[in-house]
Amino acid sequence: MRPDGRQPDQMRPFTLERNFAKFAEGSCLIQLGDTHMLVTATVEDRVPPFMKGKGSGWLTAEYSMLPRSGRQRNQRDLMKPNGRSMEIQRLIGRAMRTAVDLESLGERTIILDCDALRADGGTRCAAITAAYVAAFDAVQWMLKQRMLRKNVMLEPVAAVSVGISRGQEVLDLNYDEDSTANTDMNLVMTESGKFIEIQGTAEKEPFAVDVLGRMLKLGQKGIQELIAAQKEVLDYDNRR
């Protein structure tokens, strides 16, 4: 049993709430245990200068943690993100660009703002999972505004953490597990089981290939559960 009583292959209780931010084109609040992330999607009818004239769209992300979202107060990113925030928002952007047909988006940009309201491990993974829901609704908004001719969202994408805690492979680490884990890994995958990103580090002891395989299998299980929840909250099959 883990510190919070879960089985090794058990996710923390989670919920996805669409349209949490009233004025955004798309938004989603994910509550994953004691990690709560709000993601809002904003549509701009333009692209960054480096994309101008290419006839293709763009998607980018910003990530931040509120000052008391964690156990200590962190400084606000007033001028520019710190190194950790930069790394995370680039990950979110990379992951979500695989979920959107950017060429069919036209010269428009979707901006995903990802804010940690409460952080207890796995914020980047929670952000990616909620970002798909927010982006999907932003695209639906564009369709209603007749900015698009078709749905440009591709297959669902979600993310989850896995690791080795107390000598055992576990799924969806909370902060207490993450801070003491021998290995910490973040997985981003599509519904069809393809990997978008694998971030993994052995903190103390190297891990073997068979251990990696078990962690990937655990991650796939968690991601399938998250994607099922995404599709349910989006009424995906009827809105696709």
Side-chain angles (χ1 to χ4, degrees):
M1 299 292 287
R2 298 160 71 176
D4 58 5
R6 285 183 291 149
Q7 296 296 322
D9 65 346
Q10 189 176 0
M11 295 282 296
R12 287 173 284 180
F14 65 89
T15 59
L16 297 167
E17 182 178 348
R18 287 175 55 220
N19 302 321
F20 186 84
K22 179 178 181 179
F23 302 109
E25 283 79 72
S27 65
C28 180
L29 174 70
I30 181 170
Q31 299 184 46
L32 178 64
D34 280 332
T35 289
H36 298 180
M37 291 288 309
L38 173 61
V39 179
T40 59
T42 299
V43 175
E44 291 190 347
D45 203 16
R46 59 180 180 175
V47 291
F50 67 89
M51 292 294 296
K52 281 186 178 180
K54 295 183 179 180
S56 180
W58 187 245
L59 183 148
T60 188
E62 295 188 10
Y63 169 95
S64 182
M65 292 178 62
L66 294 184
R68 280 315 305 264
S69 57
R71 286 163 171 75
Q72 294 84 33
R73 183 184 187 277
N74 55 285
Q75 296 291 325
R76 294 183 186 272
D77 297 336
L78 295 177
M79 299 302 295
K80 66 177 183 178
N82 59 40
R84 177 180 179 275
S85 295
M86 285 287 291
E87 184 256 327
I88 291 175
Q89 64 190 36
R90 286 171 178 165
L91 166 65
I92 297 168
R94 287 194 303 271
M96 289 307 303
R97 283 192 289 274
T98 68
V100 180
D101 179 358
L102 294 176
E103 289 189 1
S104 297
L105 185 63
E107 293 202 355
R108 301 181 181 91
T109 300
I110 298 175
I111 303 170
L112 298 168
D113 286 293
C114 309
D115 292 290
L117 311 181
R118 189 185 297 177
D120 188 43
T123 57
R124 70 187 70 193
C125 295
I128 291 169
T129 301
Y132 183 85
V133 175
F136 190 99
D137 274 340
V139 167
Q140 293 291 316
W141 178 86
M142 283 189 277
L143 287 167
K144 290 178 182 178
Q145 301 299 314
R146 301 192 177 184
M147 298 170 70
L148 298 174
R149 294 182 178 179
K150 66 174 185 177
N151 190 339
V152 298
M153 295 300 294
L154 305 177
E155 64 176 322
V157 168
V160 77
S161 65
V162 294
I164 301 174
S165 178
R166 300 184 180 185
Q168 188 170 37
E169 298 90 14
V170 293
L171 173 66
D172 185 27
L173 286 71
N174 63 21
Y175 177 82
D176 289 335
E177 292 175 314
D178 182 53
S179 61
T180 60
N182 292 339
T183 297
D184 179 27
M185 184 175 293
N186 298 299
L187 304 176
V188 188
M189 296 179 70
T190 65
E191 182 183 23
S192 60
K194 296 176 182 177
F195 289 102
I196 296 171
E197 189 132 1
I198 302 174
Q199 297 181 334
T201 303
E203 300 289 349
K204 297 176 182 177
E205 297 179 5
F207 53 89
V209 172
D210 60 331
V211 175
L212 174 61
R214 290 195 293 270
M215 286 194 291
L216 296 180
K217 191 172 182 180
L218 273 179
Q220 187 170 24
K221 174 184 180 294
I223 285 171
Q224 288 172 345
E225 293 176 19
L226 292 165
I227 288 177
Q230 288 174 331
K231 295 176 72 172
E232 181 178 0
V233 75
L234 286 169
D235 192 19
Y236 182 85
D237 293 331
N238 292 324
R239 301 172 76 209
R240 185 70 182 91

